Amino acid sequence: MHAAKLRPLLLPLLIASPLAVSTENPTAHQHGHAELQLALSGQTVELYALSPAYNLLGFEHEPRTSEEHQVVDTTIAWLHETPLINTLGLNCTIQASEVRYAFAGDHNHHGSEHDSENKGEHESHTDIEISQTLTCPDLDAESLLTSPMGSRFSALEHLEIAWTGPDGQGSLRLERGETSFQLGR
Ligand SMILES: [Zn+2]
């Protein structure tokens, strides 16, 4: 229906634009997808995770209700305290962790600047970044590893895992419901 109204000169532009979209960075903000980078060295794992806030909180706007603030507090505390990967024996412990979320420190300031007129479709997307340093005494090259992310966050559909270690590097993807993985050679 719409196409019938287009003048022929416009068609090449319209055909070109879907191609531009398809070359977008696969790691860009996409709801349902998150990425995890691991650097393994001996029993130490340096971990970096990047996820749309939607996957972890269920929303990306600035938290407004007390219920939303509670979700933020609970989730950020969990991300601080829970190793995002672990061995099957759950022996990894957190040496350091950091969670970056745009509205984490904003609890006392909401409502004043962006009042009700900003609600709705014009809100931008928000990511959450997590850095953790883990010590895993039972980690070796053959270890089967687990991640609690998929079972904790039901909106997470795909978790892309990229890793580097003494024996090389690789990547894999956990689909929804998959919790364990092995670092291939
Ligand atoms: Zn988003």
Side-chain angles (χ1 to χ4, degrees):
M1 299 267 277
H2 287 134
K5 295 180 183 171
L6 293 171
R7 286 176 294 168
L9 279 177
L10 290 176
L11 281 172
L13 287 175
L14 292 169
I15 289 165
S17 55
L19 294 174
V21 169
S22 72
T23 63
E24 78 182 1
N25 181 352
T27 62
H29 184 104
Q30 195 178 354
H31 292 188
H33 295 247
E35 59 176 281
L36 194 57
Q37 295 169 16
L38 309 173
L40 298 91
S41 170
Q43 299 177 339
T44 301
V45 179
E46 296 284 349
L47 174 159
Y48 170 79
L50 175 65
S51 173
Y54 173 83
N55 296 343
L56 310 183
L57 301 175
F59 57 89
E60 297 199 339
H61 55 253
E62 185 172 0
R64 300 184 188 100
T65 66
S66 60
E67 196 176 47
E68 288 169 347
H69 283 291
Q70 199 169 0
V71 169
V72 169
D73 290 345
T74 305
T75 304
I76 288 182
W78 188 92
L79 292 169
H80 263 299
E81 296 161 2
T82 310
L84 297 187
I85 65 137
N86 218 318
T87 56
L88 279 191
L90 303 180
N91 289 313
C92 296
T93 54
I94 293 182
Q95 306 307 308
S97 70
E98 188 182 351
V99 179
R100 283 179 293 277
Y101 167 58
F103 304 123
D106 236 20
H107 289 198
N108 299 321
H109 305 296
H110 61 102
S112 51
E113 271 174 53
H114 4 235
D115 257 331
S116 41
E117 60 241 86
N118 268 352
K119 285 181 184 173
E121 40 254 295
H122 300 300
E123 286 160 341
S124 57
H125 292 280
T126 308
D127 289 313
I128 296 182
E129 294 174 89
I130 306 109
S131 303
Q132 294 183 342
T133 303
L134 308 177
T135 298
C136 307
D138 52 352
L139 180 69
D140 63 51
E142 311 294 306
S143 293
L144 199 57
L145 300 174
T146 64
S147 173
M149 299 274 291
S151 42
R152 174 65 172 75
F153 301 109
S154 59
L156 189 59
E157 298 169 29
H158 305 292
L159 182 61
E160 304 280 352
I161 301 177
W163 59 272
T164 62
D167 299 328
Q169 60 184 47
S171 63
L172 57 115
R173 169 193 264 209
L174 293 187
E175 304 292 343
R176 191 201 291 274
E178 292 179 330
T179 56
S180 63
F181 59 97
Q182 195 155 20
L183 304 181
R185 60 237 91 211

